[in-house]
Amino acid sequence: MKKLSIKSRVTLWYTCWMMILLGVMLASVFSVSDLLLYFTEKDLLVRAVEDSLAQVSLEEGEVDPGDMDFFREGVYLSVYAADGTPLYGRVPEDFNNQLPFSQGQFQEVEAGGNTWQVYDGQRELGSWGIVWIRGITAKERMSSTVHFVFSVVLIVLPFVVALAAGAGYYITRRAFRPVSQIVEAAERIGSGSDLSLRIGLGEGDDEIHTLARAFDRMFDRLESSFASEKQFTSDASHELRTPTAIILSQSEYALENAATLEEARKALEVDLQQAKKMSALLRQLLFLARADRGAQKLQMEELDLSEIAGLVAEELQGMAAEKNIRIETEVEPGLTVRADETMMMRVFINLLTNAVKYGREGGFARLRLWRDGEWIAGEVRDDGIGISEENIPLIWNRFFQADPARTGESGSGLGLSMVKWIVEAHGGSVGVSSKLGEGSVFSFRIPAENF
């Protein structure tokens, strides 16, 4: 059997519960109404008798009923002498008129296939003595109105339930319409190559609109991830293609044309240089791949970050001297932090290498490190070519490089991506400010007490 849709199940549950609630409510209302009507009719019977008692008088030694109405509002009224002799009034057909009188008491009598409610009242009229007035009304009449209404309700109720079920299904279908849009959009995105499609339900604060916005954000991340993956594949292929081509060409040249050991050695040196470049690139790619899947673990230990910064700056002095760039340091001593030594060295190396690579000949690369409250802050400043404003948001992207033709330098474009991941993995943040033609400042900070 095919399972019902959610809309049908919601409508079915809604209709069933509505019928149950209506049934309980109607039963309660009719029960209370019947009871109230019963007491109302009793009160009417009592008032009819008491009003009649007030109208009876003694005129010239005879009982005078005055303007008594012997049948009022469904109540039969009759006047009797003290010995039970009927004097005036009306009684129902087949009623046992020999029923004993009972002052102020209700009695029930079966007569003529009906049940009658009887109420007696008495009054003393001077020399005449006691006069009885009896009120009689049909008990069935008391609930006939309620029964009529109940019959009408039983006839009308199915139509009301059907109308309510139809309205409930319509409302449910409208409420679930955004779900259909979500499904259709997801199927279009899943079956096609256009990841830019979105559900786009618009404004709304209900759960379904919230779900749709969550899906749209997920699709944004998926589109960004796929775009990054495609760009990553393209850039990695491009970066590996050049050294691979050089290695192949040099190897072919050496095999075909090298007549001496010296010529072969030169070709091998070129191959070695390109192989080292490929090896470094592959190490960086492996590092970032591990970082992406959370497999790159940090070896945390207590470090003197000031000492590490000084050692890195000293090690890179030779490279900077080739471009006549001086490396300056302003390092506050004794800055201790719990961090991964290799990773923090990589941060200083990458930032200082970038400052030298894109620095101005005869310029400087300045490394600063200091305590800033609960943080250890660092920056690397240079007076080099700078970064254009439109490129600043892109510099942390993998394989992004400012125009290498302006400096004659080229690299993998992965160094700053590694810096960003390392700093953030230590609970810190990175930043940059730059002006084209005037230089750049790369900054970072990590928690001072990361124990």
Side-chain angles (χ1 to χ4, degrees):
M1 181 178 177
K2 185 178 179 180
K3 290 186 177 180
L4 294 174
S5 66
I6 294 178
K7 290 180 286 188
S8 300
R9 279 183 280 170
V10 170
T11 304
L12 183 60
W13 277 104
Y14 162 78
T15 305
C16 290
W17 277 108
M18 189 192 70
M19 290 178 63
I20 293 172
L21 290 175
L22 278 176
V24 172
M25 290 176 62
L26 288 174
S28 302
V29 169
F30 284 132
S31 298
V32 173
S33 299
D34 201 16
L35 189 61
L36 289 175
L37 184 60
Y38 179 74
F39 284 108
T40 300
E41 291 291 343
K42 276 191 171 183
D43 184 64
L44 179 65
L45 180 60
V46 171
R47 282 190 289 106
V49 171
E50 290 179 349
D51 290 345
S52 298
L53 286 172
Q55 294 181 27
V56 174
S57 61
L58 190 63
E59 297 289 340
E60 298 179 358
E62 297 293 333
V63 176
D64 183 7
D67 296 330
M68 183 187 299
D69 187 354
F70 298 112
F71 185 77
R72 50 178 286 188
E73 298 178 340
V75 177
Y76 293 89
L77 294 168
S78 52
V79 183
Y80 298 84
D83 59 0
T85 303
L87 300 177
Y88 307 98
R90 294 178 58 184
V91 294
E93 188 177 357
D94 297 329
F95 181 78
N96 180 14
N97 213 19
Q98 302 302 314
L99 181 70
F101 293 102
S102 179
Q103 167 64 24
Q105 299 294 321
F106 290 96
Q107 302 181 72
E108 286 191 6
V109 179
E110 299 287 340
N114 293 321
T115 301
W116 303 94
Q117 285 280 346
V118 180
Y119 181 80
D120 299 323
Q122 66 176 4
R123 180 180 177 186
E124 187 171 348
L125 293 178
S127 60
W128 179 263
I130 293 175
V131 175
W132 289 93
I133 293 184
R134 170 166 285 174
I136 306 171
T137 187
K139 184 178 180 182
E140 288 78 3
R141 178 181 172 276
M142 297 181 182
S143 57
S144 61
T145 302
V146 174
H147 292 163
F148 172 76
V149 174
F150 185 72
S151 301
V152 172
V153 168
L154 288 179
I155 296 172
V156 175
L157 185 61
F159 298 98
V160 173
V161 171
L163 180 62
Y169 183 80
Y170 174 75
I171 294 171
T172 305
R173 187 177 64 179
R174 284 185 59 88
F176 276 86
R177 186 177 298 168
V179 176
S180 300
Q181 290 181 248
I182 293 173
V183 173
E184 291 172 5
E187 288 178 346
R188 289 199 308 270
I189 293 170
S191 61
S193 58
D194 187 2
L195 293 176
S196 64
L197 291 173
R198 295 294 180 270
I199 298 170
L201 285 186
E203 297 297 325
D205 295 327
D206 57 79
E207 292 83 353
I208 294 180
H209 280 78
T210 303
L211 175 64
R213 284 194 293 271
F215 271 112
D216 282 342
R217 289 193 296 269
M218 181 186 70
F219 292 143
D220 287 338
R221 291 192 296 270
L222 286 175
E223 182 183 15
S224 177
S225 296
F226 281 122
S228 298
E229 182 179 351
K230 291 169 71 174
Q231 185 66 40
F232 179 85
T233 304
S234 175
D235 291 338
S237 301
H238 176 77
E239 290 294 330
L240 291 170
R241 183 173 55 190
T242 300
T244 302
I246 293 174
I247 290 173
L248 289 173
S249 64
Q250 288 296 315
S251 298
E252 290 173 356
Y253 174 81
L255 287 172
E256 295 177 4
N257 302 305
T260 64
L261 180 60
E262 185 62 29
E263 289 182 352
R265 184 185 295 276
K266 288 181 180 179
L268 288 174
E269 287 177 353
V270 173
D271 288 348
L272 179 61
Q273 182 181 1
Q274 295 302 319
K276 287 181 176 179
K277 182 177 180 180
M278 289 179 63
S279 177
L281 177 60
L282 290 172
R283 283 198 305 272
Q284 292 175 323
L285 289 174
L286 181 60
F287 172 89
L288 292 172
R290 287 174 175 169
D292 285 342
R293 67 173 187 267
Q296 184 65 52
K297 304 300 182 182
L298 299 178
Q299 304 299 321
M300 306 296 280
E301 57 182 314
E302 188 175 347
L303 303 176
D304 187 336
L305 208 56
S306 304
E307 182 179 353
I308 293 174
L311 290 174
V312 172
E314 184 178 348
E315 183 180 341
L316 296 178
Q317 288 288 355
M319 183 188 73
E322 294 177 3
K323 289 190 63 174
N324 195 26
I325 292 176
R326 63 188 183 278
I327 295 181
E328 303 172 352
T329 57
E330 297 179 17
V331 178
E332 184 178 323
L335 296 177
T336 304
V337 68
R338 187 172 180 79
D340 186 307
E341 181 177 7
T342 303
M343 297 296 175
M344 293 311 301
M345 289 182 68
R346 177 55 57 188
V347 169
F348 293 125
I349 290 171
N350 287 2
L351 292 179
L352 282 172
T353 300
N354 262 18
V356 172
K357 184 183 298 184
Y358 298 104
R360 190 186 307 278
E361 188 155 351
F364 66 87
R366 182 177 299 120
L367 169 63
R368 293 184 61 219
L369 197 66
W370 71 98
R371 179 181 290 273
D372 181 15
E374 297 181 354
W375 301 87
I376 290 180
E379 69 173 28
V380 175
R381 181 186 299 270
D382 66 69
D383 58 350
I385 63 173
I387 307 168
S388 62
E389 186 175 348
E390 63 271 16
N391 283 335
I392 287 179
L394 306 175
I395 61 172
W396 306 108
N397 294 347
R398 296 172 188 181
F399 293 110
F400 176 80
Q401 298 181 65
D403 185 7
R406 300 178 56 214
T407 61
E409 299 284 352
S410 64
S412 65
L414 298 175
L416 291 178
S417 297
M418 295 174 65
V419 169
K420 186 174 187 294
W421 184 88
I422 292 170
V423 172
E424 290 180 350
H426 282 80
S429 60
V430 294
V432 62
S433 61
S434 184
K435 193 170 183 180
L436 197 61
E438 297 184 9
S440 305
V441 180
F442 288 87
S443 59
F444 68 90
R445 64 178 194 166
I446 60 175
E449 298 297 338
N450 196 11
F451 295 96

